[in-house]
C-alpha cells in the first residue's frame, strides 16, 4: 500500500461512502417516482366502467378495458399451465437425474440463454411458427409465446429449490422402497414447496407485463374474447396502442391499465419473496 | 409417511420410473429444441431478404418499404449506441450501489433498499416506456437537454433541438432498467468474498474504500464482468421502454438528441404493418441479427460465469 496520509485516506473513504449512499437512495427514489406517477395518473382513470365495459371508439367518452383484462387473464392462465409444467419437470431432470452429465449441462446453459433471449424474438419466432402459417393472429399464439418465456424461469428456480432438499430425505424414501417418481413428487416436492411456489409466482409476474411478444401473436381486439383462435384483447398491447395515440382519453386509459399491470406484477413479486423469506426463517 | 405402495405391487409402481425419467428428459430437451428452433425458423423465414440483400443488409443504411430496399445499419447503430450509453451509466452506478448494500449499510437498511432496488427490476418494461414518454421525456426536453446543450453544445453529440425523445433518453431509461439487474449480481459477488480476507485487510488498518478497491473488487472482478455481460444482453434486446422514447427514425445522426431506432423498436413498430413478403422477411432478418447478437453475449457470459463458479468452488 502506497504511503498516503491518514487524513487523505479517511477523506477519500468518506467521499466514496457519501457517493454510494446517494446512488442507492437515487435508485430507491427512481422506484418511488415511477410508482407514484403510475399510481396517481392510473388511479384517476379507474372507475366501475373501466372494469366492466368495452373500449369506446376514439373521441367518445366512457368505456373500459374489461375485454383486455379478461383476455390477459385467459392467456396468462393458459401460458402458465403449460409453461410451468414443462419448466418444473425440466428442473426435476436437472436436479434429480441429469446433475452433471453433458446433456444436463447443455440444457442448463440453454435454459440460461433462453432466459436472456429478448422476448421480442420469442414473439417473432411464434409469429413465424404459428401466426403466419395459420394466416391470422390468435390468443393461442400469444399464450404460446408467454409459455416459452415462463419455462426457463421456472426451470431455473425449480432446480435451485430442489437442490436445497437434503439428500437424506431422498435416501430415506428410496430405502423404504418408494419408486423414484413417488419419492420426487411426494417427498422432494413437498419439502421444496415454498421455493417452487416462489418460482411459479415470479414467472407469472414476469409474463403479466410482457408486451413485445404479444404484439405479433395475440395482437389486440376491441371485442370480448369469444375464442382464443382470434386476435385477443390484452392490457399491455392496449397500453402501447393507447399511449402512442393522440387522444387524451385513450392516454388516460393507458395509465389506468399501467396501474393494474404494475399493481399485479408487484403484488406477485412481493408475495413470491414473502414465501421465500418464510422458508428461510423456518 | 404411509407405505409407499400399498395399493399396487411394487413392480408396477417401479415401472413408472423409466416413464417418469423419460418424461423429464423430454421436457429438458424441449429447451434445447426451442433454441435451435428459433434459429432455424428465423433463418428460414428471412430467406427472401437474405438472398436478395446478402451481406450488404448489415452495411446498408437504406430502409425504404416503398421501393423495397432494406438495410439494418441504422437499427444496429441505434441498438449499439443506446446500449453503450446504458452500460456506461449502469455499471459504475450498480457497483457503488452494491458497495453500499454490502459494505456500508446496516443489515436492516441494506435489506430494505436492496429489496426496493430489486422491485425496480420487476416493473414491466412497458411501464418504463409510459413513464419515459409522459414524465421523463418532457423533463429532458425542458431542462436536461437545454442544459447539456449550454455546457457541451460544441460537441456534435449534444446539438440539435431538445425534443425530449431520442437516443439519449432511450439510453438513460435503458440504464435505469438494467441497473437493478447488474447491482443484484454485483451484490452477490461482493457477498461471496470470504469475510476472513476482508477482515485481515481491515486488521492492518485499511479503510472501507481501500478494502473494497484492493480486495473486494479484485476478488469479484470476474463475477462483475459476467454480471455486466448479462446486463448487456438484456439491454440489447429491451423493446418496449426503448420503443416509446427513441423516436423511431431510420437515420444515423451524430447527435444524441436526435430520434433514432433500435432493432427491437423497429420490430415493435413495423411488424404488424409489413404486408409485403420482402418487408416482412427483412424484419425477421433484423430479428435474426438481434438473436445472434444476444446469443453471443449470453454464451460468453454463461461460459465466463461457469468458469468462475468452478474456480470459486460453488457459491454464487
Amino acid at each position: 500500500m502506497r504511503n498516503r496520509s491518514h487524513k487523505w485516506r479517511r477523506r477519500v473513504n468518506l467521499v466514496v461512502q457519501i457517493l454510494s449512499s446517494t446512488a442507492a437512495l437515487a435508485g430507491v427514489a427512481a422506484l418511488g417516482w415511477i410508482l407514484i406517477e403510475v399510481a396517481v395518473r392510473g388511479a384517476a382513470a379507474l372507475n366501475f366502467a373501466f372494469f366492466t365495459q368495452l373500449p369506446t371508439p376514439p373521441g367518445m367518452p366512457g368505456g373500459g378495458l374489461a375485454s383486455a383484462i379478461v383476455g390477459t387473464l385467459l392467456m396468462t392462465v393458459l401460458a402458465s399451465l403449460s409453461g410451468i409444467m414443462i419448466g418444473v419437470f425440466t428442473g426435476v431432470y436437472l436436479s434429480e437425474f441429469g446433475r452433471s452429465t453433458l446433456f444436463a449441462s447443455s440444457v442448463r446453459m440453454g435454459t440460461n440463454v433462453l432466459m436472456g433471449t429478448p422476448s421480442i424474438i420469442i414473439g417473432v419466432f411464434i409469429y413465424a411458427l404459428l401466426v403466419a402459417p395459420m394466416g391470422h393472429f390468435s390468443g393461442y399464439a400469444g399464450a404460446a409465446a408467454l409459455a416459452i418465456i415462463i419455462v426457463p424461469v421456472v426451470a431455473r428456480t425449480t432446480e435451485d429449490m430442489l437442490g436445497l432438499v437434503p439428500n437424506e430425505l431422498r435416501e430415506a424414501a428410496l430405502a423404504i422402497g418408494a419408486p423414484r417418481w413417488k419419492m420426487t413428487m411426494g417427498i422432494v416436492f413437498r419439502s421444496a414447496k415454498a421455493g417452487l411456489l416462489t418460482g411459479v409466482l415470479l414467472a407469472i409476474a414476469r409474463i403479466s407485463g410482457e408486451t413485445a411478444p404479444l404484439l405479433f401473436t395475440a395482437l389486440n381486439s376491441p371485442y370480448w374474447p369469444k375464442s382464443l383462435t382470434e386476435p385477443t384483447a390484452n392490457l399491455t398491447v392496449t397500453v402501447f396502442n393507447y399511449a402512442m395515440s393522440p387522444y387524451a382519453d385513450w392516454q388516460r386509459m393507458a395509465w389506468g391499465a399501467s396501474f393494474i399491470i404494475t399493481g399485479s406484477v408487484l403484488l406477485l413479486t412481493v408475495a413470491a419473496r414473502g414465501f421465500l423469506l418464510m422458508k428461510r426463517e423456518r | 409417511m404411509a407405505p409407499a405402495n400399498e395399493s399396487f405391487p411394487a413392480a408396477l409402481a417401479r415401472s413408472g420410473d423409466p416413464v417418469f425419467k423419460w418424461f423429464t428428459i423430454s421436457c429438458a430437451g424441449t429447451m434445447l429444441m426451442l433454441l435451435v428452433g428459433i434459429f432455424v425458423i428465423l433463418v428460414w423465414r428471412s430467406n427472401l431478404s437474405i438472398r436478395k440483400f446478402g451481406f450488404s443488409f448489415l452495411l446498408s443504411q437504406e430502409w425504404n418499404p416503398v421501393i423495397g430496399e432494406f438495410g439494418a445499419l441504422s437499427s444496429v447503430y441505434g441498438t449499439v449506441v443506446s446500449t453503450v450509453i446504458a452500460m456506461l451509466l449502469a455499471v459504475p452506478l450498480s457497483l457503488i450501489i452494491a458497495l453500499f448494500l454490502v459494505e456500508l449499510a446496516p443489515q436492516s437498511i441494506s435489506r430494505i433498499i436492496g429489496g426496493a432496488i430489486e422491485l425496480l427490476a420487476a416493473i414491466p418494461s412497458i411501464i418504463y416506456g409510459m413513464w419515459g414518454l409522459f414524465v421523463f421525456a418532457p423533463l429532458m426536453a425542458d431542462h436536461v437537454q437545454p442544459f447539456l446543450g449550454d455546457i457541451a453544445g460544441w460537441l456534435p453529440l449534444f446539438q440539435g433541438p431538445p425534443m425530449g425523445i431520442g437516443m439519449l433518453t432511450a439510453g438513460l431509461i435503458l440504464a435505469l432498467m438494467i441497473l437493478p439487474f447488474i447491482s443484484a449480481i454485483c451484490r452477490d459477488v461482493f457477498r461471496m468474498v470470504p469475510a476472513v480476507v476482508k477482515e485481515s485487510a481491515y486488521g492492518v488498518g485499511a479503510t472501507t474504500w481501500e478494502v473494497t478497491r484492493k480486495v473486494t473488487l479484485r476478488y469479484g472482478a470476474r463475477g462483475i464482468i459476467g454480471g455486466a455481460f448479462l446486463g448487456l444482453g438484456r439491454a440489447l434486446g429491451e423493446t418496449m421502454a426503448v420503443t416509446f422514447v427513441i423516436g423511431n427514425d431510420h437515420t444515423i445522426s451524430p447527435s444524441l438528441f436526435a430520434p433514432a431506432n433500435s432493432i427491437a423498436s423497429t420490430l415493435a413498430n413495423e411488424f404488424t404493418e409489413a404486408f409485403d413478403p420482402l418487408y416482412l422477411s427483412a424484419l425477421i432478418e433484423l430479428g435474426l441479427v438481434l438473436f445472434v447478437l444476444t446469443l453471443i453475449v449470453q454464451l460468453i457470459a454463461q461460459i465466463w460465469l461457469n468458469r468462475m463458479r468452478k474456480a470459486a468452488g460453488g457459491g454464487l
Side-chain angles (χ1 to χ4, degrees), chain B residues 30-275:
Chain B
T30 347
M31 212 72 71
L32 296 176
M33 268 169 48
L34 275 174
L35 273 178
V36 177
I38 292 173
F39 185 75
V40 170
I41 294 259
L42 290 186
V43 170
W44 176 49
R45 285 279 166 180
S46 54
N47 198 4
L48 206 59
S49 147
I50 293 177
R51 263 188 311 185
K52 173 127 199 251
F53 303 115
F55 197 70
S56 73
F57 183 75
L58 288 175
L59 303 174
S60 157
Q61 223 194 110
E62 186 80 29
W63 186 271
N64 192 339
V66 182
I67 58 166
E69 273 301 319
F70 299 101
L73 194 62
S74 76
S75 302
V76 173
Y77 173 82
T79 304
V80 170
V81 173
S82 59
T83 302
V84 167
I85 298 175
M87 293 299 284
L88 284 179
L89 286 164
V91 170
L93 267 176
S94 306
L95 273 175
I96 59 175
I97 288 178
L99 163 69
F100 173 79
L101 292 177
V102 176
E103 306 287 341
L104 294 175
Q107 190 84 69
S108 55
I109 293 179
S110 164
R111 197 186 270 181
I112 294 169
I113 294 192
I117 287 176
E118 274 174 36
L119 276 189
L120 262 179
I123 296 179
S125 80
I126 189 156
I127 304 298
Y128 281 93
M130 274 289 274
W131 179 80
L133 182 64
F134 289 106
V135 181
F136 193 66
L139 186 86
M140 289 290 288
D142 294 341
H143 302 287
V144 181
Q145 289 182 345
F147 173 73
L148 281 175
D150 281 345
I151 60 163
W154 46 274
L155 281 171
L157 285 181
F158 302 113
Q159 284 165 3
M163 288 184 291
I165 54 171
M167 189 77 94
L168 183 64
T169 311
L172 288 174
I173 298 221
L174 212 44
L176 192 58
M177 285 201 66
I178 59 172
L179 179 85
F181 192 68
I182 304 180
S183 66
I185 297 173
C186 291
R187 183 190 58 185
D188 294 347
V189 169
F190 282 4
R191 283 205 181 130
M192 240 173 51
V193 179
V196 193
V197 183
K198 282 194 260 182
E199 279 156 12
S200 53
Y202 279 119
V204 294
T207 61
T208 310
W209 169 238
E210 283 161 354
V211 172
T212 306
R213 190 162 56 98
K214 298 202 164 131
V215 180
T216 317
L217 279 181
R218 210 158 278 182
Y219 203 94
R222 302 187 64 154
I224 293 163
I225 293 171
F229 259 90
L230 289 182
L232 177 67
R234 193 155 279 217
L236 284 175
E238 183 44 57
T239 311
M240 299 323 292
V242 174
T243 306
F244 269 93
V245 295
I246 201 164
N248 304 305
D249 189 64
H250 282 280
T251 46
I252 296 179
S253 161
S255 169
L256 295 182
F257 292 176
N261 70 346
S262 74
I263 298 179
S265 77
T266 305
L267 286 173
N269 270 313
E270 301 181 23
F271 208 85
T272 41
E273 295 162 10
F275 298 111

Side-chain angles (χ1 to χ4, degrees), chain A residues 84 87-89 91-92 153-163 165 184-185 187-203 272 275-276 279:
Chain A
I84 288 169
V88 164
F89 285 104
V92 168
V153 183
V154 176
R156 274 293 307 273
T157 40
T158 303
E159 191 199 353
D160 289 350
M161 293 306 157
L162 295 190
V165 176
T184 309
M185 310 286 278
I187 313 286
V188 178
F189 272 19
R190 191 164 301 169
S191 90
K193 205 167 50 186
L196 293 181
L197 204 57
T198 307
V200 167
L201 288 180
L202 284 178
F275 275 116
L276 208 60
K279 187 188 157 66

Side-chain angles (χ1 to χ4, degrees), chain A residues 1-2 4 6 9-10 12-13 16-25 27-28 30-31 33-35 37-38 41 85-87 89-90 92-94 97 103 106-107 109-122 124-125 127-129 132-133 137 148 151-152 155-156 173-174 176-182 184-185 187 205-206 208-212 215-216 219 236-237 239-240 242-245 251 254-255 257-259 261-262 265-266 269-270 273 277 281, chain B residues 1-8 10 12-17 20-21 23-25 27-32 34-35 37-39 41-42 44-45 93 96-97 99-101 104 111-113 115-120 122-128 130-131 133-136 139 176 179 204-210 213-214 233-234 236-240 243-245 248 263-265 267-269 271-272 274 280 283-284 286-288 290-291 294-295 298-299 302-303 306 309:
Chain A
M1 221 172 265
R2 239 179 311 164
R4 286 241 173 82
H6 186 58
R9 289 173 46 214
R10 288 274 297 274
V12 170
N13 193 43
V16 172
Q17 286 186 337
I18 292 171
L19 265 180
S20 70
S21 321
T22 322
L25 282 179
V28 177
L31 175 75
W33 189 9
I34 295 174
L35 291 186
E37 289 287 349
V38 171
R41 296 184 191 216
M85 196 197 65
I86 299 180
F89 285 104
T90 303
V92 168
Y93 171 75
L94 292 175
F97 296 108
F103 179 66
S106 37
V107 168
M109 184 166 287
T111 309
N112 288 338
V113 170
L114 198 62
M115 204 148 78
T117 301
S119 61
I120 194 163
I121 298 295
I122 312 277
V124 176
F125 168 64
Y127 176 89
L129 189 72
F137 298 97
I148 294 181
V151 172
R156 274 293 307 273
L174 292 176
I176 58 166
R180 221 178 155 122
W181 61 270
K182 224 170 192 178
T184 309
M185 310 286 278
I187 313 286
R206 169 96 196 262
S208 319
E210 279 295 351
T211 314
L215 275 175
F216 329 133
L219 201 62
T236 47
V237 176
V239 170
F240 182 59
Y242 278 25
M244 294 291 210
S245 82
Q251 292 179 0
W255 279 109
S258 299
F259 181 61
I261 297 167
T262 316
V265 169
L266 289 187
T269 313
V270 171
R273 287 186 194 287
L277 224 61
E281 269 159 23
Chain B
M1 191 199 116
N5 32 36
E6 292 163 313
S7 50
F8 50 103
L12 191 64
R14 278 226 183 275
S15 74
D17 272 359
F20 182 61
K21 184 173 177 183
F23 179 65
T24 64
I25 288 183
C27 284
T30 347
M31 212 72 71
L32 296 176
L34 275 174
L35 273 178
I38 292 173
F39 185 75
I41 294 259
L42 290 186
W44 176 49
R45 285 279 166 180
L93 267 176
I96 59 175
I97 288 178
L99 163 69
F100 173 79
L101 292 177
L104 294 175
R111 197 186 270 181
I112 294 169
I113 294 192
I117 287 176
E118 274 174 36
L119 276 189
L120 262 179
I123 296 179
S125 80
I126 189 156
I127 304 298
Y128 281 93
M130 274 289 274
W131 179 80
L133 182 64
F134 289 106
V135 181
F136 193 66
L139 186 86
L176 192 58
L179 179 85
V204 294
T207 61
T208 310
W209 169 238
E210 283 161 354
R213 190 162 56 98
K214 298 202 164 131
R234 193 155 279 217
L236 284 175
E238 183 44 57
T239 311
M240 299 323 292
T243 306
F244 269 93
V245 295
N248 304 305
I263 298 179
S265 77
L267 286 173
N269 270 313
F271 208 85
T272 41
L280 191 63
L283 283 170
I284 295 182
L286 263 189
L288 180 66
L290 179 61
F291 182 58
T294 49
L295 200 65
Q298 290 286 332
L299 281 175
Q302 300 303 339
I303 291 168
N306 270 350
R309 262 180 223 123

